[in-house]
C-alpha cells in the first residue's frame, strides 16, 4: 500500500538551499552523503521480469536449492557477464 504524501511543497519551495541543507544535516536517520560517499555509491540494477526457456534439468537443479533460486540464477549470470566483460 503506498504511503500518503505529506510533503509541504509550498513550504519547501520557499526555503533557501542553506535551510534545506541544515535540516538534512540535522536528520539523525539519514545524514547527508559527502561527494566521496556519492562517488562510492553502488548503482543497484532494476529487476526486469522476463520470459525465458531453460532446460528442465537446469531449472530443477536451481529449484532444488530451495527458495531464492531466481536470485541464484541471476548471480550466476551476473558472474558470467562480469567475467566476459573484463575479458573484452
Amino acid at each position: 500500500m503506498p504511503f500518503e504524501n505529506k510533503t509541504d511543497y509550498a513550504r519547501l519551495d520557499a526555503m533557501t538551499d542553506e535551510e534545506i541543507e541544515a535540516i538534512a544535516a540535522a536528520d539523525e536517520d539519514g545524514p547527508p552523503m559527502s561527494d566521496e560517499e556519492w562517488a562510492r555509491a553502488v548503482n543497484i540494477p532494476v529487476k526486469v521480469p522476463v520470459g525465458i526457456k531453460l532446460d528442465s534439468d537446469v531449472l530443477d537443479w536451481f529449484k532444488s536449492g530451495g527458495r531464492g533460486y531466481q536470485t541464484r540464477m541471476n548471480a550466476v549470470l551476473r558472474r558470467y557477464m562480469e567475467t566476459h566483460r573484463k575479458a573484452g
Side-chain angles (χ1 to χ4, degrees):
M1 176 176 221
F3 291 106
E4 178 185 346
N5 187 344
K6 296 181 181 181
T7 302
D8 184 348
Y9 289 104
R11 181 173 168 250
L12 187 60
D13 287 340
M15 291 179 161
T16 65
D17 289 345
E18 292 78 21
E19 290 172 320
I20 294 170
E21 290 291 329
I23 291 170
D27 184 358
E28 294 176 5
D29 292 330
M33 292 172 57
S34 68
D35 290 341
E36 293 80 22
E37 289 172 315
W38 276 113
R40 291 191 311 267
V42 176
N43 183 14
I44 300 173
V46 175
K47 301 287 185 191
V48 179
V50 297
I52 184 172
K53 293 186 180 202
L54 304 169
D55 294 337
S56 61
D57 59 334
V58 171
L59 182 59
D60 291 343
W61 186 83
F62 275 97
K63 282 185 169 184
S64 72
R67 194 176 165 136
Y69 73 93
Q70 291 176 332
T71 301
R72 288 190 298 278
M73 292 173 84
N74 189 74
V76 169
L77 291 168
R78 173 166 297 286
R79 182 64 177 256
Y80 181 89
M81 176 193 74
E82 290 170 353
T83 300
H84 286 77
R85 183 182 281 168
K86 289 177 187 174

